[in-house]
Amino acid sequence: MLASSELDRLCVVLVRTRNPLNIGAAARVMSNFGFLRLRVVNPYGVAWREARSAVGASALLASAEEFQTVAEAVADCSLVVGTTAASRRELQQPLKPLEEGARLIRKQLSSNRVALLFGSEKTGLSNEDLSHCHWLMRIPTREQHPSVNLGQAVAICLYELARDRKASRQPEKQKPATAGEVERITGMLLDALHASGYLKLRSAAPTLGKVRRMVRRLNLSANDAELLLGMLRQILWKIQLGKEK
């Protein structure tokens, strides 16, 4: 997850949004991921600040900044990125896939303010809007149906920004079993195979090497080795107990 200072440097800019509910949906998902700077440029709806779709994000919606032009909305941003379906249009700026674009934006957010632009539900960002962008970003959709609902597009982009693969928690590396522990497991496993009748004495020698290699391929941790030794002891005890009855 991004640091709070980095989250604060991203401005989501909605340009000429037609449906107030989409503004509310964008505000809600922004709040979900911790991005709290919403800017709108010439929204169509007059009552967009009261959008019912902004569940849990009414404060964010109330504090959203309204601008008359894209230039004003991005004036304090060092990087401006536009989103587009890139269909039936000759683009003048570099187009990056979502994953790459999100990585570049995260890098900028460490020290600079970034504007992420989303266009009208009907027409997207105009060529004039795109002229303010350093580069463009596209959500990977199928060619036959490239456009995505505005609220969903904001959610997808912010999710990709919020998840940082490098920051994802890695499982703790456990101490590996020693060669001695592996050998004890091998010996006890052979004892169990003998006691159960699975392994005959004359075939023990070649089987020993096979069992030893198999146990080593398991790459057991020290904890797992201790657990497995306990299991084998119990199995051998049960087999021996059954023979004594």
Side-chain angles (χ1 to χ4, degrees):
M1 192 71 177
L2 295 170
S4 58
S5 59
E6 294 172 318
L7 293 169
D8 188 58
R9 292 189 185 106
L10 182 79
C11 300
V12 174
V13 182
L14 306 182
V15 182
R16 294 184 303 280
T17 309
R18 303 177 68 86
N19 188 340
L21 293 178
N22 280 330
I23 301 180
R28 179 176 182 175
V29 77
M30 287 176 65
S31 180
N32 289 146
F33 292 117
F35 298 100
L36 305 180
R37 288 188 177 273
L38 174 61
R39 298 178 177 182
V40 296
V41 177
N42 285 333
Y44 280 77
V46 294
W48 57 270
R49 290 188 189 273
E50 288 78 41
R52 295 189 302 276
S53 53
V55 179
S58 56
L60 189 154
L61 199 58
S63 64
E65 301 174 89
E66 187 172 356
F67 297 88
Q68 295 300 310
T69 66
V70 170
E72 294 171 333
V74 303
D76 60 343
C77 298
S78 300
L79 173 65
V80 181
V81 178
T83 57
T84 177
S87 59
R88 301 184 299 276
R89 181 187 296 194
E90 184 177 347
L91 301 175
Q92 302 301 316
Q93 295 90 347
L95 178 65
K96 302 182 186 300
L98 177 60
E99 185 175 345
E100 179 188 356
R103 177 176 55 81
L104 294 173
I105 290 173
R106 281 197 299 268
K107 186 176 180 180
Q108 283 291 319
L109 288 175
S110 62
S111 56
N112 298 305
R113 181 159 291 174
V114 178
L116 183 58
L117 273 59
F118 297 87
S120 160
E121 300 92 328
K122 187 174 181 180
T123 60
L125 294 169
S126 68
N127 289 333
E128 171 64 24
D129 300 330
L130 295 179
S131 69
H132 294 279
C133 300
H134 293 87
W135 44 267
L136 310 177
M137 188 166 68
R138 178 183 181 275
I139 296 172
T141 53
R142 68 189 184 107
E143 186 178 349
Q144 296 88 339
H145 193 184
S147 64
V148 178
N149 169 270
L150 177 58
Q152 293 173 340
V154 174
I156 293 169
C157 291
L158 295 188
Y159 167 73
E160 188 65 30
L161 279 171
R163 72 175 188 117
D164 187 347
R165 291 181 176 179
K166 291 183 179 179
S168 60
R169 296 188 61 184
Q170 300 294 326
E172 294 183 7
K173 290 186 177 180
Q174 298 187 21
K175 181 181 177 181
T178 64
E181 289 169 330
V182 172
E183 190 62 23
R184 285 197 295 275
I185 290 171
T186 302
M188 292 189 72
L189 184 54
L190 284 169
D191 290 344
L193 293 174
H194 279 299
S196 67
Y198 179 86
L199 188 62
K200 304 302 179 184
L201 285 175
R202 61 187 175 187
S203 62
T207 302
L208 172 61
K210 292 180 181 178
V211 172
R212 182 178 287 126
R213 288 191 294 271
M214 181 190 73
V215 175
R216 273 169 166 69
R217 285 197 299 270
L218 296 176
N219 292 319
L220 294 168
S221 67
N223 289 339
D224 288 343
E226 182 180 356
L227 179 62
L228 186 53
L229 282 167
M231 293 177 179
L232 290 170
R233 289 190 194 100
Q234 183 70 13
I235 291 171
L236 283 168
W237 178 75
K238 281 289 187 179
I239 292 174
Q240 187 61 37
L241 188 65
K243 287 183 178 180
E244 291 176 356
K245 289 183 179 180

